[in-house]
Amino acid sequence: TTGKDGVRVETAPTGDEVEDLSKSFNLMTATLDERRQDLVRSREESDQRRTFVESLLSEMNSGVIRLDAGGKITLANKSAETLLGKSLGPMKDLGDVVPEFVPLLSNLLNSKSTSDFSLNLKVADDTKHIRVKTGPDGADGIIITLDDTTRLIWAQRQLAWRDVARRVAHEIRNGR
């Protein structure tokens, strides 16, 4: 019979091999049904995690790129494309899309540690100061995060020039 617990064989208390075989079959089908239910639950949890990560990546202001061991893009969020002003479709070579990464790629791909550096990138007739953080992803690839720090650098320079102007003005006033 087939019920809510899967396929079962009716067992009659006959005390022979058929009863033992029927009990073993029912035990086996019950175990298989439990494993199937576990797999369904695991898949649902995995789908929920994947959906969460995808929505998280799409809402982040930071650009996120994942490269495989060969330097091919396997994942890029919209922020990375906007920041770099390029389409970063899957399986494109990052060095082909963003030539500024070419001298860095072999070191990034061969390094099993994290790195943090800055690049000046020409994007649509403008130069952007980009902070780049990289790290291994646990599967022979790397994760790259990108943040546009252009405004921050500009603000720091403005503050530095104001400080220089203030000091010069102070020296001029005191020099008289």
Side-chain angles (χ1 to χ4, degrees), residues 56-67:
L56 180 69
L57 284 174
S58 68
E59 295 300 319
M60 287 181 67
N61 289 331
S62 295
V64 179
I65 302 170
R66 186 209 176 261
L67 301 180

Side-chain angles (χ1 to χ4, degrees), residues 9-10 14 32 59 86 101 113-114 116-117 141 148 155:
V9 174
E10 295 297 324
T14 59
L32 286 172
E59 295 300 319
K86 311 259 181 171
F101 274 98
S113 61
T114 61
D116 188 346
F117 57 92
D148 186 352

Side-chain angles (χ1 to χ4, degrees), residues 16-17 20-21 23 30 48 64 91 104 125-126 136-137 158:
D16 61 5
E17 304 86 30
D20 291 340
L21 183 62
K23 287 180 180 178
Q48 289 172 351
V64 179
M91 299 318 293
L104 308 167
D125 298 330
D126 195 18
D137 71 348
Q158 293 299 314

